[in-house]
Amino acid sequence: MRILLIGEFSRLHNSLKEGLVAHGHEVVIVANGDGFKNYPADLSTKAKWCETLIGNIPRQIIFRLTKFDIATLEFGIRFYFHLNQLKNFDVVQLINEAPIQTTPKLERFLLKKIFKHNKKTFLLCCGVDYMVAKYLTKKKERYSIMNPYFENPKSRKEYQFILNFLKSDHKKTHDLVYKNVHGVIASDIDYFLPMQKHIKFLGMLPNPVNINKIEFSELEIKNKIIIFLGINRGTYYTKGISFFEKALEILKQKMGDRIEIIIAENLPYQNYIYKYNQAHIILDQIYGFDQGYNALEAMAKGKVVFTGAEKEWEEYYNLSEKVAINALPDIYYLVAELENLVNNPTHIIAIGKRARKFVEKEHNYINIAEKYCETWNK
């Protein structure tokens, strides 16, 4: 099959492409790299002009005056010039309802071209979109990434991105996409829950992870136990980073001579990976029920990861032993879990081994790619 993957936020589409190519399919990714993460794409829509010294000056001035980022316009324009190469695919998959990340009107114009000139289109629910945002604001689960929004006025600015999906202009995009896609696929439990009753929902396909590119290394604890916390200020509240920070402060006071803490902020993907390669324990996110890409890649390396690992996830995968630590919005719970690991280094090594085996079994990119093909062909 000829397969077009539009958009990239987490390396999901790159890993899926690698699995599909292994099965003999022709695959093209068109994406803008997602900012400083700079994920690879076959056809780039990166806002190169806006990132130059000459382009960045008017970009900053316009943003300060109007809060409009002209880089979004450049994403759309660059996508437009690729349109001749984006035709006659057997399958198109959108990473999100607005995968091009341009202005709403231009987004809809470009998506209509995609729908018109290709055979079948599918949508991934693997991040916030209209359906997810609507679900989260109704507080249907015991906690979610919206907790800080409801509890802490200081967090409101960070949540504008999520609230934008509920605006009428985006609702038009949502309606257009759902009218034209053949089905919607969720990537994990956090997106399965909002989608499970929708008529176009095709089920959950776990995140594909290219385990051949991620080297497993059995953890060795020679002296101090190294704990890594990566901070992206753009997702500070939605990831629950403050809980990790406060837990680490307490832990440092209690057992500072037995631990080493590495904190990395807003690093490019490769630098980020280098830093956490040194760690035994990774602090990923608080509010998830399931793991995202950072957590899965760390687990594949054999790290002990504090992330979404709720009972719904355990039941889905029929797990009887820990392969990750369920992170909760409770400072003293986090301290207790960290203390337990520091006091029992053999638990760290055992969980790390099980984490790798779990990713190999449930997230193998070759197997997941095959499941995608089966779903698309139904």
Side-chain angles (χ1 to χ4, degrees):
M1 288 192 294
R2 294 189 72 237
I3 300 161
L4 174 64
L5 304 176
I6 301 180
E8 179 68 294
F9 298 144
S10 62
R11 212 188 181 278
L12 192 162
H13 267 171
N14 272 274
S15 297
L16 178 58
K17 175 187 173 177
E18 289 155 4
L20 292 167
V21 169
H23 284 288
H25 300 291
E26 179 188 340
V27 187
V28 174
I29 297 177
V30 55
N32 62 31
D34 198 25
F36 71 88
K37 298 172 189 174
N38 202 26
Y39 295 118
D42 302 296
L43 299 173
S44 175
T45 60
K46 190 177 179 69
K48 295 178 182 177
W49 183 81
C50 284
E51 293 178 3
T52 63
L53 182 62
I54 295 173
N56 190 50
I57 294 171
R59 179 186 182 184
Q60 295 300 327
I61 294 171
I62 292 169
F63 185 77
R64 288 181 184 180
L65 294 174
T66 66
K67 300 301 179 186
F68 173 68
D69 187 355
I70 59 172
T72 60
L73 192 58
E74 187 175 350
F75 294 154
I77 292 169
R78 290 190 180 276
F79 191 94
Y80 175 82
F81 285 114
H82 288 311
L83 280 177
N84 283 337
Q85 298 169 272
L86 306 179
K87 296 178 180 179
N88 302 316
F89 285 86
D90 300 299
V91 170
V92 176
Q93 183 163 273
L94 313 179
I95 198 81
N96 183 269
E97 291 174 343
I100 305 166
Q101 294 183 287
T102 188
T103 61
K105 284 186 179 179
L106 185 52
E107 186 92 34
R108 291 191 290 274
F109 170 80
L110 295 169
L111 287 175
K112 286 176 184 176
K113 298 287 186 184
I114 295 297
F115 298 143
K116 181 178 179 181
H117 294 290
N118 295 283
K119 293 179 182 178
K120 289 196 288 188
T121 304
F122 296 84
L123 170 67
L124 265 182
C125 184
C126 60
V128 179
D129 57 18
Y130 174 79
M131 295 292 292
V132 174
K134 188 178 178 182
Y135 187 84
L136 294 177
T137 54
K138 290 184 176 179
K139 301 183 181 180
K140 292 197 174 185
E141 300 301 333
R142 53 193 177 276
Y143 64 83
S144 79
I145 59 173
M146 292 298 289
N147 272 38
Y149 176 80
F150 295 120
E151 298 166 3
N152 181 3
K154 291 181 181 179
S155 72
R156 296 292 173 89
K157 185 178 179 181
E158 186 176 309
Y159 284 86
Q160 192 57 52
F161 169 75
I162 294 175
L163 298 177
N164 284 342
F165 284 101
L166 297 174
K167 291 182 176 179
S168 59
D169 217 1
H170 178 75
K171 180 62 164 55
K172 293 177 185 176
T173 306
H174 164 82
D175 291 341
L176 172 72
V177 169
Y178 271 73
K179 181 181 177 181
N180 286 276
V181 295
H182 288 71
V184 185
I185 299 165
S187 63
D188 66 42
I189 298 291
D190 292 293
Y191 309 114
F192 170 85
L193 295 171
M195 288 301 308
Q196 57 187 322
K197 294 180 181 178
H198 197 280
I199 193 171
K200 286 205 170 185
F201 184 50
L202 301 176
M204 187 176 106
L205 296 178
N207 285 304
V209 177
N210 189 337
I211 53 175
N212 296 331
K213 284 191 170 183
I214 301 175
E215 183 180 353
F216 169 73
S217 179
E218 185 175 328
L219 296 174
E220 292 184 39
I221 300 171
K222 297 178 180 177
N223 186 10
K224 293 184 178 183
I225 290 169
I226 303 171
I227 304 169
F228 177 89
L229 172 63
I231 300 176
N232 177 351
R233 288 291 161 183
T235 56
Y236 182 84
Y237 292 103
T238 55
K239 295 281 188 182
I241 298 299
S242 63
F243 289 95
F244 286 137
E245 288 179 322
K246 290 169 186 174
L248 288 176
E249 286 174 12
I250 296 170
L251 192 71
K252 192 172 183 180
Q253 291 174 358
K254 285 188 169 187
M255 40 181 45
D257 59 330
R258 298 173 62 188
I259 61 171
E260 178 185 344
I261 297 169
I262 297 175
I263 297 178
E265 188 167 343
N266 285 344
L267 291 176
Y269 181 76
Q270 292 300 330
N271 291 1
Y272 180 93
I273 295 298
Y274 173 77
K275 288 286 185 182
Y276 88 49
N277 276 345
Q278 303 171 55
H280 303 103
I281 298 170
I282 306 292
L283 306 181
D284 176 52
Q285 63 170 328
I286 292 289
Y287 293 114
F289 281 32
D290 199 338
Q291 301 92 55
Y293 247 88
N294 282 348
L296 288 171
E297 290 186 342
M299 289 165 67
K301 290 189 175 188
K303 311 296 184 184
V304 175
V305 186
F306 279 65
T307 186
E310 275 290 354
K311 61 182 181 182
E312 290 89 343
W313 167 79
E314 289 180 330
E315 290 169 1
Y316 181 87
Y317 289 107
N318 194 27
L319 294 170
S320 57
E321 294 183 292
K322 284 185 178 179
V323 299
I325 306 299
N326 189 31
L328 296 173
D330 181 330
I331 296 165
Y332 298 102
Y333 162 84
L334 295 172
V335 172
E337 290 289 329
L338 286 164
E339 273 189 287
N340 181 50
L341 290 170
V342 174
N343 288 327
N344 297 280
T346 56
H347 291 186
I348 295 175
I349 295 168
I351 293 170
K353 288 180 182 178
R354 292 197 296 268
R356 171 67 181 201
K357 288 180 180 177
F358 169 77
V359 176
E360 287 178 346
K361 180 184 176 184
E362 304 292 354
H363 293 274
N364 186 310
Y365 73 116
I366 300 287
N367 299 338
I368 300 298
E370 186 176 5
K371 290 179 181 179
Y372 267 93
C373 290
E374 290 171 0
T375 302
W376 293 333
N377 287 326
K378 282 180 182 177

